[in-house]
Amino acid sequence: MTQSFAVPRSRAGQTHESLRADIQAALEPLLYGDSGAGYVIRARLESEFAAAVGAKHALAVHSGTLALFLALKTCGLGPGDEVISVGNSDISTTGAIHQCGARAVLCDVLAEDYTMDAGLVEALVTERTRALLPVDMHGHPANVKALREIANRHDLRIVEDAALATGAHDHGLPLGAFADISMFSFAPYKPLGSAGNGAMLVSNDAALAERLRLLTGYGAGGALEGRQDYVAEGYNAPLDPLQAALLLVKLPHLEAWTARRREIVAALEAGLAGTTAKTPRFRSESMPTFRSYCIRVPRQEKVHRGLRAAGIEAVIHYAPPVYRYSVYAESFPERAPLPVTDKLAEEIVNLPVSPELSDEEVATMIKVTRGLL
């Protein structure tokens, strides 16, 4: 039986209820209108999302996992190539690299914000390195501007995994400004979630965007006298229009929801001050959003179990690190030591920051957490 939590990870149903009339109106053309309505709605979402994140091009696709794969393929990754990434992410990150035929090379992360340590990257670059794949972990922006300088020196592509960070900014710009291609996820627990799978790929490079669209649409190159023609072996990967319609209703609220997440995090940080919990720290130019609030505690299992027993849906995201998964038992025989990644995996606990949480519920979460430390 699924446990019911007084303070859950998500209250998307509550949000959807408040937007019920708008959601129903958005879905009606898809269910009862012209069969081409889905193409129009998906194109609208792409246009409006691109504007929201300051990107020239956006492409809505079926899932974040598939989006990363398509981004790497678009950048020309294949057998024999290497991609520098991190080990404290979802398996989608390393999986996308390997499914292209390339090899993931893992870099350690910063203890302060859990993102790729740019100071360690250049030592990992070899003649086979073709790309960097930083992850904006828990909604914390990786320093992609610093990584861009390294990439430019070595003629590397950057694919940014911003799955958890829709709504975040860095160096005064929305995420994606310094990468060749960036991916934002719309899975239900993400900052801008749909009711199912979904993701957006954004780029300021017209050639890359054109290649992404080609690969997403089967590789179709147009029609010859009413017949189909294909110029590449692509994939059937566009975002489902029902999800696109829901996201179009929710997108205008993203800024307010992001602000509320930050309010909750500020309250949690203040409420946990003076305890043994270590809270994340960010570069002055970084403006994270928060899929959750990831703290470090000395007795991870006690705190995790205690919070859940008290009705607070705490989780432990991305631990153990991917290189300890059974599927990768033989994949990283020569990897460099990752002491920070290993240490974080033993300490992190993720607290809910769903924007629907009340101040009273946040205060309860602080009280319970303090009692477990």
Side-chain angles (χ1 to χ4, degrees):
M1 174 180 277
T2 302
Q3 182 178 350
S4 178
F5 292 95
V7 181
R9 292 170 60 195
S10 171
R11 283 206 176 112
Q14 178 179 322
T15 293
H16 294 164
E17 179 62 36
S18 70
L19 299 171
R20 178 187 287 267
D22 291 338
I23 292 171
Q24 288 180 335
L27 294 178
E28 283 182 358
L30 294 169
L31 299 174
Y32 313 117
D34 185 89
S35 59
Y39 298 98
V40 175
I41 288 173
R42 188 162 51 236
R44 273 191 57 206
L45 176 64
E46 291 172 345
S47 176
E48 294 186 21
F49 190 90
V53 302
K56 293 180 180 178
H57 309 280
L59 184 68
V61 299
H62 176 68
S63 73
T65 303
L66 185 54
L68 286 177
F69 171 78
L70 290 168
L72 292 168
K73 291 286 284 185
T74 294
C75 289
L77 271 293
D81 295 336
E82 294 178 349
V83 180
I84 298 173
S85 191
V86 295
N88 65 331
S89 182
D90 189 277
I91 194 172
S92 294
T93 309
T94 46
I97 295 169
H98 294 160
Q99 287 157 14
C100 286
R103 185 174 80 90
V105 175
L106 301 180
C107 180
D108 211 357
V109 298
L110 297 167
E112 293 78 17
D113 67 3
Y114 324 140
T115 67
M116 182 182 284
D117 188 339
L120 301 177
V121 170
E122 204 145 17
L124 298 174
V125 175
T126 72
E127 62 182 13
R128 293 186 174 183
T129 308
R130 296 291 179 268
L132 309 179
L133 205 171
V135 180
D136 301 316
M137 186 49 58
H138 309 297
H140 312 162
N143 195 349
V144 184
K145 184 177 182 181
L147 294 174
R148 181 77 269 168
E149 296 175 5
I150 297 170
N152 288 347
R153 282 197 294 273
H154 297 278
D155 193 25
L156 307 177
R157 293 290 195 180
I158 298 180
V159 173
E160 180 178 6
D161 184 342
L164 308 177
T166 310
H169 288 67
D170 202 17
H171 296 278
L173 297 169
L175 295 194
F178 303 105
D180 294 289
I181 303 173
S182 297
M183 182 277 289
F184 299 87
S185 174
F186 299 138
Y189 287 110
K190 302 302 192 291
L192 182 64
S194 63
N197 288 323
M200 190 73 76
L201 289 162
V202 303
S203 180
N204 291 317
D205 186 312
L208 289 177
E210 182 179 358
R211 180 68 177 172
L212 280 171
R213 197 167 294 281
L214 181 69
L215 291 180
T216 302
Y218 275 128
L224 295 175
E225 297 180 355
R227 295 179 176 84
Q228 293 171 313
D229 183 33
Y230 296 88
V231 296
E233 288 184 334
Y235 307 87
N236 183 23
L239 178 67
D240 182 276
L242 293 171
Q243 306 299 337
L246 174 61
L247 290 162
L248 268 172
V249 173
K250 298 176 76 171
L251 181 59
H253 302 276
L254 175 62
E255 186 174 351
W257 293 337
T258 301
R260 177 56 181 162
R261 289 176 183 273
R262 289 173 178 154
E263 286 179 358
I264 293 170
V265 164
L268 289 170
E269 182 177 14
L272 296 177
T275 70
T276 55
K278 296 179 181 179
T279 57
R281 292 291 179 267
F282 306 103
R283 291 174 286 107
S284 60
E285 60 273 10
S286 172
M287 290 186 62
T289 186
F290 298 90
R291 195 279 285 271
S292 60
Y293 189 48
C294 186
I295 63 174
R296 300 168 60 187
V297 297
R299 292 179 293 278
Q300 181 189 61
E301 195 59 30
K302 174 191 173 184
V303 174
H304 178 230
R305 289 182 179 275
L307 285 164
R308 292 176 73 88
I312 298 165
E313 194 178 4
V315 296
I316 299 175
H317 279 306
Y318 316 126
V322 291
Y323 48 86
R324 300 201 185 282
Y325 292 171
S326 298
V327 68
Y328 291 143
E330 300 177 1
S331 297
F332 301 104
E334 300 175 1
R335 70 171 174 83
L338 303 173
V340 178
T341 303
D342 286 332
K343 184 66 172 172
L344 290 174
E346 298 171 354
E347 297 179 341
I348 59 170
V349 173
N350 298 77
L351 302 176
V353 295
S354 181
E356 300 87 357
L357 295 178
S358 68
D359 290 346
E360 292 75 17
E361 288 168 327
V362 175
T364 297
M365 185 160 40
I366 292 169
K367 181 179 178 180
V368 172
T369 306
R370 288 185 68 95
L372 292 166
L373 294 171

